[in-house]
Amino acid sequence: MDQPVLLTGAGGRVGQAILGHIGDAYDWRLLDREPLPDEKIPDSVDPTDVYVADITDETAVKNAMEGVYAVIHLAGDPRPEAPWNSVLRNNIDGTQKMYEAAVEAGVEKFAFASSNHAVGAYETEERTPDMYRSHHEFRLDGTELPRPSNLYGVSKATGETLGRYYHDHHDISVVNVRIGNLTQHHPPKEYERGQAMWLSYRDCAHLFECCVEADYDFEIVYGISNNDRKYYSIDRARDVLGYDPVDNSAEYTFEGEPLDEV
Ligand SMILES: NC(=O)C1=CN([C@@H]2O[C@H](COP(=O)(O)OP(=O)(O)OC[C@H]3O[C@@H](n4cnc5c(N)ncnc54)[C@H](O)[C@@H]3O)[C@@H](O)[C@H]2O)C=CC1
Ligand SMILES: O=C1O[C@H](COP(=O)(O)O)[C@@H](O)[C@H](O)[C@H]1O
């Protein structure tokens, strides 16, 4: 594809996981409110395609969106304990401004970084910790209603609903990726929940590449690796997006050592 892909929150963990693996795959346009040091920018990206801007700045977002084919929208406050004023501004208002600019610019696809915390309240006292274990059959598959864990989760569920609105009224293709727990090199250590929703860096990059390449209308998918322990189904991501993850937290000890090296 000739048109750029806009990546917001490019300097963060998810952004760097993506750029670290598929940094040469697209004509990237990168946006972050923090200046990006050189080591965070792939060599192929021209400095004029790097925008230091806040996603709540309508003019800046409009400029960055010009001629863009697809958006991977990661920028926001990622803290589960984030206060309302921050998620309202960064996650809800910022996402609405991103969508408004995207439809005005005629963007075709919009991938939104949603979260496990949009549905964290399904992890009830009765179900946990059993549901985090590989023998357990409980699965969320994206058809369930949101049940947020916290106000951050409320902001992510709201971002998903903004996508529903902009898809239905402006025909932009939307995929909400409920990301699990992204860690580099090994799954979260000594943390059953985290190991059940581990997303490795390379699977993360592959999943968002699928979001740029696949054809879809409106989707909610889970973003986890192919873990034996799981309470999220990745069937929808496989079927609609062609997601084919390679990592599995079962290939590591509970303490995070690769089993083939123990
Ligand atoms: N890391 C994880 O395991 C998970 C992440 N997510 C979501 O993925 C997205 C990225 O998360 P991380 O990379 O972990 O966070 P991060 O904090 O490492 O990166 C976020 C980036 O967005 C930028 N940013 C924040 N607010 C902004 C604004 N108003 N305007 C412009 N830039 C802004 C920050 O400067 C930062 O570089 C977030 O939306 C988060 O909610 C969801 C589930 C799990
Ligand atoms: O949405 C997010 O989820 C992950 C995992 O949540 P946790 O409660 O198990 O830590 C979190 O690490 C990340 O910061 C957040 O954005």
Side-chain angles (χ1 to χ4, degrees):
M1 129 210 355
D2 296 333
Q3 290 172 272
V5 175
L6 174 61
L7 179 69
T8 74
R13 292 167 294 180
V14 181
Q16 289 297 297
I18 293 171
L19 293 176
H21 285 271
I22 56 166
D24 294 329
Y26 297 108
D27 179 6
W28 291 105
R29 199 167 286 173
L30 309 180
L31 184 147
D32 202 295
R33 68 179 173 193
E34 301 296 334
L36 298 181
D38 287 349
E39 63 271 18
K40 288 193 168 187
I41 304 174
D43 292 341
S44 55
V45 175
D46 191 278
T48 58
D49 283 318
V50 181
Y51 290 70
V52 181
D54 197 294
I55 51 166
T56 60
D57 178 343
E58 282 177 57
T59 309
V61 166
K62 202 171 157 180
N63 288 339
M65 202 68 79
E66 213 170 294
V68 161
Y69 169 74
V71 173
I72 299 176
H73 176 44
L74 311 174
D77 190 332
R79 296 171 299 160
E81 71 284 6
W84 180 243
N85 61 353
S86 178
V87 296
L88 182 60
R89 179 181 190 284
N90 295 298
N91 298 5
I92 298 178
D93 188 40
T95 298
Q96 191 271 338
K97 295 219 162 41
M98 287 292 301
Y99 268 115
E100 199 62 38
V103 298
E104 195 184 320
V107 166
E108 304 245 347
K109 295 174 188 170
F110 195 111
F112 172 64
S114 186
S115 169
N116 61 89
H117 285 287
V119 287
Y122 284 99
E123 296 166 45
T124 56
E125 273 183 28
E126 295 73 41
R127 290 188 180 125
T128 57
D130 269 13
M131 67 185 288
Y132 304 140
R133 297 177 180 160
S134 45
H135 66 268
H136 207 275
E137 290 184 354
F138 181 85
R139 293 283 183 278
L140 298 174
D141 64 7
T143 59
E144 60 282 333
L145 288 172
R147 279 182 74 177
S149 333
N150 39 45
L151 293 174
Y152 161 73
V154 171
S155 77
K156 289 295 168 180
T158 307
E160 293 181 1
T161 304
L162 283 166
R164 181 80 250 182
Y165 168 76
Y166 281 97
H167 169 70
D168 285 341
H169 294 271
H170 298 277
D171 207 26
I172 185 170
S173 296
V174 170
V175 57
N176 296 300
V177 181
R178 290 180 178 161
I179 303 172
N181 194 326
L182 179 86
T183 54
Q184 194 170 19
H185 304 312
H186 53 74
K189 294 180 178 176
E190 300 183 22
Y191 179 28
E192 285 193 271
R193 176 174 189 263
Q195 293 178 4
M197 59 170 179
W198 183 43
L199 179 63
S200 72
Y201 268 44
R202 61 180 164 174
D203 286 339
C204 175
H206 163 58
L207 176 54
F208 280 99
E209 184 172 20
C210 292
C211 294
V212 174
E213 298 296 328
D215 288 324
Y216 48 88
D217 293 317
F218 175 85
E219 292 294 333
I220 297 175
V221 300
Y222 284 95
I224 62 169
S225 288
N226 190 25
N227 307 319
D228 286 358
R229 294 175 186 268
K230 64 166 92 63
Y231 53 99
Y232 299 143
S233 168
I234 52 175
D235 289 353
R236 192 74 190 162
R238 284 187 190 279
D239 294 348
V240 175
L241 303 177
Y243 178 53
D244 189 16
V246 292
D247 288 308
N248 180 345
S249 57
E251 291 165 359
Y252 296 78
T253 66
F254 192 55
E255 294 74 28
E257 296 302 320
L259 278 174
D260 57 10
E261 289 175 20
V262 174

